[in-house]
Amino acid sequence: MKKELQLQLSPEEAYDDRLFQHVALKKAGLSADNAQAIARQIRRSIDARGRQVRVNVTAEVFINEAPTPLLQTPKAYQNVSNKEQLIIVGAGPAGLFAALRAIELGIKPIVIERGKDVRARRRDLAAINKDHIVNPESNYCFGEGGAGTYSDGKLYTRSKKRGDIRRIMEILVAHGATEEILVDAHPHIGTNKLPKLVAELRESILQAGGEVLFETKVVDFILEGNEMKGVVTQEGEKIKGIGVILATGHSARDIFHLLKHKNILIEAKPFALGVRIEHSQNLIDRIQYHCEMDRGPYLPASSYALVQQTYFQGKQRGVFSFCMCPGGFIVPAATSPGEIVVNGMSPSRRDSKFANSGMVAAVELEDLPQYQKYGALAAMMFQAEVEQKAWLLGGKTQTAPAQRMVDFVNKKVSPSLLDTSYQPGLKSVDMYEVLPDFIAERLKQGFVAFGKKMKGYLTNEAQIIGVESRTSSPVRIPRDRESFEHPEVKRLYPCGEGAGYAGGIVSAAMDGERCAEKLIEQYARVH
Ligand code: FAD
């Protein structure tokens, strides 16, 4: 027999399994030491609105029967080595999940990735952090697993497609993620666990007879009339297939240039730009969990999500927190020498002493009149210029420009900076010099408002670090709403974050699956 319970628990009851078993069995009307009964959590979310933090848990109690498996999707892929081939450019979440879906549908995926496999990639990340050397083919954005590999591995999405989200989560669990991601309302994996998981996804593709080509950059397309037949690599190799899924991410500027050069329709896209902000995790915990000292041994490092409408020169734009990483690190996410880009990641335990988050202002195309001459690349050129300026003012290394938070609001250069998780180091700079005025003014308004929403958040014990600029793609590659095919180029399927259809690991993975389905469905209809 199975009983479902809705429980409101203390952090200790929710996170200490022995105590949880005890409480859940008693709530089910059983003796706490009933050896024939076992309880498990199937949904868990923290409610920190009141002074006492509570954890809302949906639990199942199995009495005289074994628990049913949480995971329902079996991990078994058919062999497709002799099947027709489909080209997928980019081994980020969109590309990898497109490949697995193609296999399920009986098509052989050829995944082409400019970067290295997850293990080899690590050395290049160390070189950015320690020696300030940016490898344009292998960095925090490029390489196996894409931008999502050395990240926080947050797995939440604003998408409401619950069934599709569950499918992605189950595939992740089948490849090594813990079952907790099926339970937590805000699941995350952590940067220490992601590389192994990504390697497992690759293994599934290879074992089914698919191919994954590393250190292979796509530099051209094979176009016959208005039909995409395949791609050309930097070695000059031509690879053809039944279609091309272009999942190259938001940082593949050379791909955007190539599309423009080939007269393939692309559009400038609004995005958001700003800084990363770093507080001590303890300060954020004290604000969010209303505790005097620290969060104690059971609660996870707390997070926040902030948004504020701001007004500057008669225009209203949102300022918002982005990709908050509790207990995390700020990382140098540039993809070329001569630019500074920051982002955040955290380990699965989220146990660093820092809390960081992007703090960005929405950028609309009408904010960029002087870049209109670049047409579809207007927002991308603006983004690149701000990143280059950060590099110049930071001292022409990966040392990032920074300023304490209240000093920034008061337009005062900080005489000293705080300890930071950003390994290449910081330089005290007037961030109004780095950021365009319309961004800096909006951030300032946002910070003042956030200080009122979260008492203690606006403090000189926090600092801002620039620039957070790769929030979403500054270019959209259009596609038909129904067929997902490019409106002018047949058999080209723009996919994932870089094309403007996803933001984050899970939504990119979902979009990868959809693109593979649409492409294969269309191919089957014609042939
Ligand atoms: P990408 O992951 O960007 O993958 C594109 C791939 O294409 C790359 O591997 C690239 O090397 C390859 N490529 C590019 N050009 C070419 C070419 N010409 N030839 C061959 N290959 C090419 N999202 C979350 O949901 N949660 C998080 O916690 C999170 N944290 C992040 C932390 C960091 C440091 C970063 C950088 C990003 C983070 N993100 C996070 C965002 C997330 O990683 C992206 O939304 C997601 O990876 C997008 O997936 P994608 O497959 O569309 O593109």
Side-chain angles (χ1 to χ4, degrees), residues 89-96 112-115 121 137 139-156 188 216-219 247-255 276 322-325 331 333 342-345 350 470-471 495-499 502-509:
V89 192
L96 293 173
I112 306 176
E113 169 57 53
R114 74 197 294 164
R121 203 176 158 186
E137 312 303 339
N139 44 58
Y140 277 95
C141 292
F142 295 163
E144 187 179 20
T149 310
Y150 294 95
S151 77
D152 187 31
K154 276 180 286 296
L155 298 177
Y156 18 110
H188 79 110
T216 308
K217 181 159 70 168
V218 167
V219 295
T248 41
H250 55 30
S251 292
R253 290 184 177 152
D254 38 12
I255 287 289
R276 208 148 257 267
F322 175 80
C323 183
M324 199 260 149
C325 295
V331 297
V342 291
N343 211 309
M345 68 176 195
R350 286 182 164 166
R470 309 280 172 95
T471 48
C495 180
E497 185 158 41
I505 296 168
V506 173
S507 63

Coordinates of all heavy atoms in Angstrom, one line a residue, residues 89-96 112-115 121 137 139-156 188 216-219 247-255 276 322-325 331 333 342-345 350 470-471 495-499 502-509, ligand 1:
V89 N 25.8 20.8 -35.0 CA 27.0 21.7 -34.7 C 26.9 22.2 -33.3 O 26.0 22.9 -33.0 CB 27.1 22.8 -35.7 CG1 28.5 23.5 -35.6 CG2 26.9 22.4 -37.2
G90 N 27.8 21.8 -32.5 CA 27.8 22.2 -31.1 C 27.4 21.1 -30.1 O 26.4 20.4 -30.3
A91 N 28.3 20.8 -29.1 CA 28.0 19.7 -28.2 C 27.6 20.3 -26.8 O 28.0 19.8 -25.8 CB 29.2 18.8 -28.0
G92 N 26.8 21.4 -26.8 CA 26.3 21.9 -25.6 C 25.0 21.1 -25.3 O 24.8 20.1 -25.9
P93 N 24.2 21.5 -24.3 CA 23.0 20.7 -23.9 C 22.1 20.6 -25.1 O 21.5 19.5 -25.3 CB 22.4 21.5 -22.8 CG 23.3 22.5 -22.4 CD 24.5 22.6 -23.3
A94 N 22.0 21.6 -25.9 CA 21.1 21.5 -27.1 C 21.6 20.4 -28.1 O 20.8 19.6 -28.5 CB 20.9 22.9 -27.8
G95 N 22.9 20.5 -28.4 CA 23.4 19.5 -29.4 C 23.4 18.1 -28.8 O 23.0 17.2 -29.6
L96 N 23.8 17.9 -27.6 CA 23.8 16.5 -27.0 C 22.4 15.9 -26.9 O 22.2 14.8 -27.3 CB 24.5 16.6 -25.6 CG 26.0 16.9 -25.6 CD1 26.5 17.0 -24.2 CD2 26.8 15.9 -26.4
I112 N 29.5 17.9 -34.1 CA 30.7 18.5 -34.4 C 31.0 19.6 -33.4 O 30.2 20.5 -33.2 CB 30.7 19.1 -35.8 CG1 30.3 18.0 -36.8 CG2 32.0 19.7 -36.2 CD1 30.1 18.5 -38.3
E113 N 32.1 19.6 -32.7 CA 32.4 20.5 -31.6 C 33.8 21.1 -31.7 O 34.8 20.4 -31.9 CB 32.3 19.7 -30.3 CG 32.8 20.4 -29.0 CD 32.1 21.8 -28.8 OE1 30.9 21.8 -28.7 OE2 32.9 22.7 -28.6
R114 N 33.9 22.4 -31.7 CA 35.1 23.1 -31.9 C 36.1 22.9 -30.7 O 37.3 22.9 -30.8 CB 34.9 24.6 -32.1 CG 34.5 25.3 -30.8 CD 33.9 26.7 -31.1 NE 34.9 27.6 -31.7 CZ 34.5 28.8 -32.3 NH1 33.2 29.1 -32.4 NH2 35.4 29.6 -32.8
G115 N 35.5 22.7 -29.5 CA 36.3 22.6 -28.3 C 36.8 21.1 -28.0 O 36.6 20.2 -28.9
R121 N 39.5 19.9 -21.6 CA 39.1 21.3 -21.4 C 39.6 21.9 -20.1 O 39.8 23.1 -20.1 CB 37.5 21.2 -21.5 CG 36.9 22.5 -21.9 CD 35.4 22.2 -21.9 NE 34.7 23.5 -21.8 CZ 33.4 23.7 -21.7 NH1 32.6 22.6 -21.7 NH2 32.9 24.9 -21.6
E137 N 39.2 28.5 -28.7 CA 38.4 27.2 -29.0 C 38.1 26.4 -27.8 O 37.3 25.5 -27.9 CB 39.2 26.3 -30.0 CG 39.9 27.0 -31.2 CD 38.9 27.8 -32.1 OE1 37.7 27.4 -32.0 OE2 39.3 28.7 -32.8
N139 N 37.3 27.0 -23.7 CA 37.2 27.9 -22.5 C 35.9 27.6 -21.8 O 35.3 26.5 -21.9 CB 37.2 29.4 -23.1 CG 36.3 29.5 -24.3 OD1 35.1 29.2 -24.3 ND2 36.8 29.8 -25.5
Y140 N 35.4 28.6 -21.0 CA 34.2 28.3 -20.2 C 32.9 28.2 -21.0 O 31.9 27.7 -20.6 CB 34.0 29.4 -19.1 CG 34.8 29.1 -17.8 CD1 36.0 29.7 -17.7 CD2 34.3 28.2 -16.9 CE1 36.8 29.4 -16.5 CE2 35.1 28.0 -15.7 CZ 36.3 28.6 -15.6 OH 37.0 28.3 -14.4
C141 N 33.0 28.6 -22.3 CA 31.8 28.5 -23.1 C 31.9 27.4 -24.2 O 30.9 26.8 -24.6 CB 31.6 29.9 -23.9 SG 31.0 31.2 -22.7
F142 N 33.2 27.2 -24.7 CA 33.4 26.2 -25.8 C 34.0 25.0 -25.3 O 35.1 25.0 -24.6 CB 34.3 26.9 -26.8 CG 33.7 28.1 -27.5 CD1 34.5 28.9 -28.3 CD2 32.3 28.3 -27.5 CE1 33.9 30.0 -28.9 CE2 31.8 29.4 -28.1 CZ 32.6 30.3 -28.8
G143 N 33.5 23.9 -25.8 CA 34.0 22.5 -25.4 C 32.9 21.6 -25.1 O 31.7 22.1 -25.0
E144 N 33.2 20.4 -24.8 CA 32.1 19.4 -24.6 C 31.2 19.8 -23.5 O 31.7 20.1 -22.4 CB 32.8 18.0 -24.3 CG 31.7 16.9 -24.3 CD 32.3 15.5 -24.0 OE1 33.5 15.5 -23.5 OE2 31.7 14.5 -24.3
G145 N 29.9 19.7 -23.7 CA 28.9 20.1 -22.7 C 28.6 21.5 -22.8 O 27.6 22.0 -22.2
G146 N 29.3 22.3 -23.7 CA 29.0 23.7 -23.9 C 29.2 24.5 -22.7 O 30.0 24.2 -21.8
A147 N 28.4 25.6 -22.7 CA 28.6 26.6 -21.6 C 28.1 26.0 -20.3 O 28.3 26.6 -19.2 CB 27.8 27.9 -22.0
G148 N 27.3 24.9 -20.4 CA 26.7 24.4 -19.1 C 27.6 23.5 -18.3 O 27.2 23.1 -17.2
T149 N 28.8 23.2 -18.8 CA 29.6 22.1 -18.1 C 30.2 22.7 -16.8 O 30.1 22.1 -15.8 CB 30.7 21.6 -19.0 OG1 30.0 21.2 -20.3 CG2 31.3 20.4 -18.4
Y150 N 30.9 23.8 -17.0 CA 31.6 24.3 -15.8 C 30.7 25.5 -15.3 O 31.0 26.6 -15.4 CB 33.0 24.8 -16.2 CG 33.8 23.5 -16.5 CD1 34.0 23.1 -17.8 CD2 34.4 22.7 -15.5 CE1 34.6 22.0 -18.1 CE2 35.0 21.5 -15.8 CZ 35.2 21.2 -17.1 OH 35.8 20.0 -17.4
S151 N 29.6 25.1 -14.7 CA 28.6 26.0 -14.3 C 28.1 25.7 -13.0 O 28.6 24.8 -12.3 CB 27.4 26.0 -15.4 OG 26.6 24.9 -15.2
D152 N 26.9 26.2 -12.6 CA 26.3 25.9 -11.3 C 25.5 24.6 -11.6 O 25.2 23.9 -10.7 CB 25.4 27.0 -11.0 CG 24.8 26.9 -9.6 OD1 25.4 26.3 -8.7 OD2 23.7 27.4 -9.4
G153 N 25.1 24.4 -12.8 CA 24.2 23.3 -13.2 C 22.8 23.4 -12.6 O 22.2 22.5 -12.2
K154 N 22.4 24.7 -12.5 CA 21.0 24.9 -12.1 C 20.1 24.3 -13.1 O 20.3 24.5 -14.3 CB 20.7 26.4 -12.0 CG 21.1 27.1 -10.7 CD 20.8 28.6 -10.7 CE 21.7 29.4 -11.6 NZ 23.1 29.4 -11.2
L155 N 19.1 23.6 -12.7 CA 18.2 23.0 -13.7 C 16.8 23.5 -13.7 O 15.9 22.8 -13.9 CB 18.2 21.5 -13.4 CG 19.6 20.8 -13.5 CD1 19.5 19.3 -13.1 CD2 20.2 20.9 -14.9
Y156 N 16.6 24.8 -13.3 CA 15.3 25.2 -13.4 C 15.1 26.1 -14.6 O 16.0 26.7 -15.1 CB 14.8 26.0 -12.1 CG 15.8 26.5 -11.2 CD1 16.1 27.9 -11.1 CD2 16.6 25.6 -10.4 CE1 17.0 28.4 -10.2 CE2 17.5 26.1 -9.5 CZ 17.7 27.5 -9.4 OH 18.7 28.0 -8.6
H188 N 19.9 21.5 -8.7 CA 21.1 21.9 -9.4 C 22.1 20.7 -9.2 O 21.9 19.8 -8.4 CB 21.7 23.1 -8.8 CG 22.5 22.9 -7.5 ND1 23.8 23.0 -7.4 CD2 22.0 22.6 -6.3 CE1 24.2 22.7 -6.1 NE2 23.1 22.5 -5.4
T216 N 36.9 20.2 -33.8 CA 36.5 20.3 -35.2 C 35.6 21.5 -35.3 O 34.5 21.5 -34.8 CB 35.8 19.0 -35.6 OG1 36.6 17.9 -35.2 CG2 35.5 19.0 -37.1
K217 N 36.1 22.6 -35.9 CA 35.3 23.8 -36.0 C 34.6 23.9 -37.4 O 35.2 23.7 -38.4 CB 36.2 25.0 -35.8 CG 35.5 26.3 -35.8 CD 36.2 27.5 -35.2 CE 37.4 27.9 -35.9 NZ 37.9 29.2 -35.4
V218 N 33.3 24.2 -37.3 CA 32.6 24.5 -38.6 C 32.9 25.9 -39.0 O 32.8 26.8 -38.3 CB 31.1 24.2 -38.4 CG1 30.3 24.8 -39.6 CG2 30.8 22.8 -38.2
V219 N 33.4 26.0 -40.3 CA 33.8 27.3 -40.8 C 33.0 27.7 -42.0 O 33.1 28.9 -42.5 CB 35.3 27.4 -41.1 CG1 36.1 27.3 -39.8 CG2 35.8 26.4 -42.1
A247 N 23.6 24.5 -33.3 CA 23.4 24.7 -31.8 C 24.7 25.2 -31.3 O 25.3 24.6 -30.4 CB 23.0 23.4 -31.1
T248 N 25.2 26.3 -31.8 CA 26.5 26.8 -31.5 C 26.6 27.8 -30.3 O 27.7 28.3 -30.0 CB 27.1 27.4 -32.7 OG1 26.2 28.2 -33.4 CG2 27.6 26.4 -33.7
G249 N 25.5 28.0 -29.6 CA 25.6 28.9 -28.4 C 25.6 30.3 -28.7 O 25.8 30.8 -29.8
H250 N 25.6 31.1 -27.6 CA 25.5 32.6 -27.7 C 26.8 33.3 -28.0 O 26.9 34.5 -28.2 CB 24.8 33.2 -26.5 CG 25.4 32.9 -25.2 ND1 26.7 32.6 -25.0 CD2 24.8 32.8 -24.0 CE1 26.9 32.4 -23.7 NE2 25.8 32.5 -23.1
S251 N 27.9 32.5 -27.9 CA 29.2 33.1 -28.0 C 29.9 32.8 -29.3 O 31.1 33.3 -29.5 CB 30.1 32.7 -26.8 OG 29.6 33.2 -25.6
A252 N 29.3 32.1 -30.2 CA 30.0 31.8 -31.5 C 29.8 32.9 -32.5 O 29.1 32.9 -33.4 CB 29.4 30.5 -32.0
R253 N 30.6 34.0 -32.2 CA 30.5 35.2 -33.0 C 30.9 34.9 -34.5 O 30.3 35.5 -35.4 CB 31.4 36.3 -32.5 CG 30.8 36.8 -31.2 CD 31.5 38.0 -30.6 NE 30.9 38.4 -29.4 CZ 31.4 39.0 -28.4 NH1 32.7 39.2 -28.4 NH2 30.7 39.4 -27.3
D254 N 31.9 34.0 -34.7 CA 32.3 33.7 -36.1 C 31.1 33.0 -36.8 O 31.0 33.3 -38.0 CB 33.5 32.8 -36.1 CG 33.6 31.7 -35.0 OD1 32.5 31.5 -34.3 OD2 34.6 31.1 -34.8
I255 N 30.2 32.3 -36.1 CA 29.1 31.7 -36.8 C 28.1 32.8 -37.2 O 27.5 32.8 -38.3 CB 28.4 30.6 -35.9 CG1 29.3 29.4 -35.9 CG2 27.0 30.3 -36.4 CD1 29.4 28.5 -37.1
R276 N 28.6 41.2 -12.4 CA 28.4 40.1 -11.4 C 28.6 40.8 -10.0 O 29.5 41.6 -9.8 CB 29.3 38.9 -11.6 CG 28.6 37.6 -11.1 CD 28.9 36.4 -11.8 NE 27.9 36.0 -12.7 CZ 26.9 35.2 -12.4 NH1 26.8 34.6 -11.3 NH2 26.0 34.9 -13.3
F322 N 20.6 37.5 -12.2 CA 20.6 36.5 -13.3 C 21.6 35.4 -12.9 O 22.8 35.7 -12.5 CB 21.1 37.2 -14.5 CG 21.3 36.3 -15.7 CD1 20.2 35.9 -16.5 CD2 22.6 35.9 -16.1 CE1 20.4 35.0 -17.5 CE2 22.8 35.1 -17.1 CZ 21.7 34.6 -17.9
C323 N 21.2 34.2 -13.0 CA 22.1 33.0 -12.7 C 22.8 33.2 -11.4 O 24.0 33.2 -11.3 CB 23.1 32.9 -13.9 SG 24.2 31.5 -13.8
M324 N 22.0 33.3 -10.3 CA 22.6 33.4 -9.0 C 23.2 32.1 -8.6 O 22.7 31.0 -8.8 CB 21.4 33.8 -8.0 CG 21.9 34.4 -6.7 SD 21.9 33.2 -5.4 CE 23.3 33.8 -4.4
C325 N 24.4 32.2 -8.1 CA 25.2 31.0 -7.7 C 25.5 31.1 -6.2 O 26.5 31.7 -5.7 CB 26.5 31.0 -8.4 SG 26.3 30.7 -10.2
V331 N 33.7 33.2 -12.5 CA 34.8 32.7 -13.4 C 35.0 33.6 -14.6 O 34.0 34.3 -15.0 CB 34.4 31.3 -13.9 CG1 34.3 30.3 -12.7 CG2 33.0 31.3 -14.6
A333 N 34.8 34.1 -18.3 CA 34.1 33.3 -19.3 C 34.3 33.9 -20.7 O 33.5 33.7 -21.6 CB 32.6 33.3 -19.0
V342 N 32.5 37.9 -17.3 CA 32.4 37.1 -16.1 C 31.1 36.3 -16.0 O 30.1 36.7 -16.6 CB 32.6 37.9 -14.8 CG1 34.0 38.4 -14.6 CG2 31.6 39.1 -14.7
N343 N 31.1 35.2 -15.3 CA 30.0 34.4 -15.1 C 30.1 33.7 -13.8 O 31.1 33.9 -13.1 CB 29.8 33.4 -16.3 CG 28.4 33.1 -16.6 OD1 27.6 32.7 -15.7 ND2 28.0 33.2 -17.8
G344 N 29.2 32.8 -13.4 CA 29.3 32.2 -12.1 C 29.1 30.7 -12.2 O 28.4 30.2 -13.1
M345 N 29.7 30.0 -11.2 CA 29.5 28.5 -11.1 C 29.5 28.2 -9.6 O 30.0 28.9 -8.8 CB 30.5 27.8 -11.9 CG 31.9 27.8 -11.4 SD 33.0 26.7 -12.3 CE 34.4 26.6 -11.2
R350 N 27.7 23.6 -2.8 CA 27.6 25.1 -2.7 C 28.1 25.6 -1.4 O 27.5 26.3 -0.6 CB 26.1 25.4 -2.8 CG 25.6 25.3 -4.3 CD 24.2 25.7 -4.4 NE 23.7 26.0 -5.8 CZ 22.5 26.1 -6.1 NH1 21.5 26.0 -5.3 NH2 22.2 26.3 -7.4
R470 N 27.2 37.8 -21.4 CA 26.7 36.7 -22.2 C 25.5 36.1 -21.5 O 25.5 35.0 -21.1 CB 27.8 35.7 -22.3 CG 29.2 36.2 -22.8 CD 29.2 36.4 -24.3 NE 30.5 37.1 -24.7 CZ 31.6 36.4 -25.1 NH1 31.6 35.1 -25.2 NH2 32.6 37.1 -25.4
T471 N 24.5 37.0 -21.4 CA 23.3 36.6 -20.7 C 22.4 35.8 -21.6 O 21.7 34.8 -21.2 CB 22.5 37.8 -20.2 OG1 22.5 38.7 -21.2 CG2 23.3 38.5 -19.0
C495 N 19.0 26.3 -33.4 CA 18.7 25.6 -32.2 C 19.3 26.1 -30.9 O 20.5 26.6 -31.0 CB 19.1 24.1 -32.4 SG 18.7 23.0 -31.0
G496 N 18.6 26.1 -29.8 CA 19.3 26.4 -28.5 C 19.4 27.8 -28.2 O 18.8 28.7 -28.8
E497 N 20.3 28.1 -27.3 CA 20.5 29.5 -26.8 C 21.0 30.5 -27.9 O 20.6 31.6 -27.9 CB 21.4 29.5 -25.6 CG 21.5 30.8 -24.9 CD 21.9 30.8 -23.5 OE1 22.8 30.0 -23.1 OE2 21.4 31.5 -22.7
G498 N 22.0 30.0 -28.6 CA 22.6 30.8 -29.6 C 21.7 31.4 -30.7 O 21.8 32.5 -31.2
A499 N 20.7 30.6 -31.0 CA 19.7 31.0 -32.0 C 18.6 31.8 -31.4 O 17.8 32.4 -32.2 CB 19.2 29.7 -32.7
A502 N 16.4 29.4 -26.3 CA 16.5 28.8 -25.0 C 17.4 29.7 -24.2 O 18.1 30.6 -24.6 CB 17.2 27.4 -25.2
G503 N 17.3 29.5 -22.8 CA 18.1 30.2 -21.9 C 18.3 29.3 -20.7 O 17.5 29.2 -19.8
G504 N 19.4 28.6 -20.8 CA 19.7 27.7 -19.7 C 19.8 26.3 -20.1 O 19.4 25.9 -21.3
I505 N 20.4 25.4 -19.3 CA 20.7 24.1 -19.6 C 19.4 23.3 -20.0 O 19.4 22.6 -21.1 CB 21.4 23.4 -18.4 CG1 22.7 24.1 -18.2 CG2 21.6 21.9 -18.7 CD1 23.4 23.7 -16.8
V506 N 18.4 23.3 -19.2 CA 17.2 22.5 -19.4 C 16.5 23.0 -20.7 O 16.1 22.1 -21.5 CB 16.3 22.5 -18.2 CG1 15.0 21.7 -18.5 CG2 17.0 21.8 -17.0
S507 N 16.3 24.3 -20.8 CA 15.5 24.7 -22.0 C 16.3 24.5 -23.3 O 15.7 24.2 -24.3 CB 15.1 26.2 -21.9 OG 16.2 27.0 -21.8
A508 N 17.6 24.6 -23.2 CA 18.4 24.3 -24.4 C 18.3 22.8 -24.7 O 18.1 22.4 -25.9 CB 19.9 24.6 -24.1
A509 N 18.4 21.9 -23.7 CA 18.2 20.5 -24.0 C 16.8 20.2 -24.6 O 16.7 19.4 -25.5 CB 18.4 19.7 -22.6
Ligands
FAD1 P1 26.2 26.1 -25.6 O1 26.1 25.4 -24.3 O2 26.8 27.4 -25.6 O3 26.9 25.1 -26.6 C1 27.4 25.5 -27.9 C2 28.5 24.7 -28.3 O4 28.8 24.9 -29.7 C3 29.8 25.0 -27.6 O5 30.3 23.8 -27.0 C4 30.7 25.5 -28.6 O6 32.1 25.1 -28.5 C5 30.2 24.9 -29.9 N1 30.5 25.7 -31.1 C6 30.4 27.0 -31.3 N2 30.8 27.3 -32.5 C7 31.1 26.2 -33.2 C8 31.6 25.9 -34.4 N3 31.8 26.9 -35.4 N4 31.9 24.6 -34.8 C9 31.8 23.6 -33.8 N5 31.3 23.9 -32.6 C10 31.0 25.1 -32.3 N6 22.5 27.6 -17.3 C11 21.7 27.0 -16.4 O7 20.6 26.5 -16.8 N7 22.1 26.8 -15.2 C12 23.3 27.2 -14.7 O8 23.6 27.0 -13.6 C13 24.1 27.9 -15.6 N8 25.4 28.4 -15.3 C14 26.2 28.9 -16.2 C15 27.5 29.2 -15.8 C16 28.5 29.6 -16.8 C17 29.9 29.9 -16.4 C18 28.0 29.7 -18.1 C19 29.0 30.2 -19.2 C20 26.7 29.5 -18.5 C21 25.8 29.0 -17.6 N9 24.5 28.7 -17.9 C22 23.7 28.0 -17.0 C23 23.9 28.9 -19.2 C24 23.9 27.6 -20.0 O9 25.2 27.0 -19.9 C25 23.5 27.8 -21.4 O10 22.2 28.3 -21.4 C26 23.5 26.5 -22.2 O11 24.7 25.8 -22.2 C27 23.1 26.7 -23.7 O12 23.1 25.5 -24.4 P2 23.4 25.4 -25.9 O13 23.6 24.0 -26.2 O14 22.3 26.2 -26.7 O15 24.7 26.2 -26.2

